[in-house]
Amino acid sequence: MSERYTDSRVATATGGAATQALATNRLIRNTYILLSMTLAFSAVTAGMAVLTDAPRLNIFVVLGGFFGLLFLTQYLRNSVWGLASIFALTGFMGYTLGPIINLYLGLPNGGQTVMMAFGGTAAIFVGLSAYALATRRDFSFMRGFLFAGILVAFVAALAAYFLQMPGLSLAVSVMFMILMSGLILYQTSEMVNGGEDNYIMATITLYVAIYNLFTSLLHLLGLANE
């Protein structure tokens, strides 16, 4: 009787682990599929903005659009409308990227700078994601540091923008590169270790990390090529 009971508990635990592994793999697969689609859609809207020489949007419009669509996506994350919302968000952010890219394309070696920023962002994202997936290390301890760091960097970015402080702007770009790299490790770890179970929210976090990583790297490379 006890042996059968023990075997039953082992089978239940094994089955539970297998179910959890399947759920984790499904979450990771869906996240990366959706992330690829949103990045592609952003590239399309950014390309449209570049080709039409769209003007740079007012910072308040950008912040209002971003946070408004972000909160809407979070609210709709468990429904099919969450998918529509995340494409609206990433499409909007892609469009805001167009004028920035045009600005750097106008610099000497601007095309090379933009491509280096694309390549560097891709290399950092793939490398950090692969490390977190392969090691399955728990990076949840970074949560508080990332939250505080992103808040400080965001406030510093606003100060650099309104006060026209190039030195602070440079420091903010370095801060965002470090913080977004940490965010990629953290979010990937959360997916692997069960801290995140919604692929829409996981996609948003990774998308924001990639977006800020790219713009920060573009800024640093642009300064180096001036």
Side-chain angles (χ1 to χ4, degrees):
M1 176 69 178
S2 61
E3 290 182 0
R4 285 199 300 271
Y5 177 68
T6 301
D7 291 343
S8 175
R9 287 200 304 175
V10 171
T12 300
T14 303
T19 301
Q20 180 61 41
L22 288 173
T24 298
N25 291 336
R26 188 184 308 113
L27 171 67
I28 293 172
R29 182 183 68 248
N30 290 342
T31 297
Y32 285 126
I33 290 174
L34 183 58
L35 180 63
S36 299
M37 294 172 66
T38 53
L39 287 172
F41 186 57
S42 283
V44 171
T45 57
M48 291 173 56
V50 169
L51 292 175
T52 58
D53 197 20
R56 194 163 183 174
L57 297 178
N58 181 279
I59 188 171
F60 295 109
V61 174
V62 174
L63 292 176
F66 170 71
F67 284 111
L69 290 169
L70 177 63
F71 292 140
L72 179 63
T73 304
Q74 186 174 15
Y75 178 75
L76 299 172
R77 65 187 182 276
N78 293 317
S79 73
V80 68
W81 292 107
L83 292 173
S85 182
I86 194 174
F87 275 100
L89 170 62
T90 55
F92 173 74
M93 294 309 294
Y95 186 81
T96 65
L97 196 57
I100 299 175
I101 293 175
N102 259 341
L103 177 65
Y104 285 94
L105 287 176
L107 297 176
N109 300 316
Q112 182 181 0
T113 299
V114 172
M115 292 308 299
M116 286 178 62
F118 271 122
T121 301
I124 293 170
F125 175 74
V126 171
L128 293 174
S129 298
Y131 174 77
L133 289 170
T135 62
R136 306 183 74 87
R137 183 178 173 184
D138 186 1
F139 287 98
S140 61
F141 65 90
M142 297 174 63
R143 183 185 295 112
F145 165 76
L146 290 172
F147 176 79
I150 291 172
L151 181 60
V152 170
F154 177 71
V155 173
L158 291 178
Y161 178 84
F162 288 111
L163 300 178
Q164 296 295 305
M165 302 172 64
L168 180 58
S169 180
L170 176 63
V172 167
S173 293
V174 174
M175 289 173 63
F176 266 112
M177 282 200 65
I178 296 172
L179 289 167
M180 293 305 108
S181 296
L183 188 59
I184 291 170
L185 286 173
Y186 167 77
Q187 183 57 66
T188 308
S189 168
E190 289 290 278
M191 292 191 295
V192 171
N193 295 298
E196 177 64 76
D197 59 4
N198 187 290
Y199 71 99
I200 290 180
M201 296 309 299
T203 298
I204 287 179
T205 303
L206 291 176
Y207 176 88
V208 169
I210 292 170
Y211 181 96
N212 284 295
L213 190 59
F214 171 72
T215 54
S216 298
L217 187 56
L218 184 62
H219 181 211
L220 294 174
L221 292 173
L223 290 176
N225 284 336
E226 285 183 351

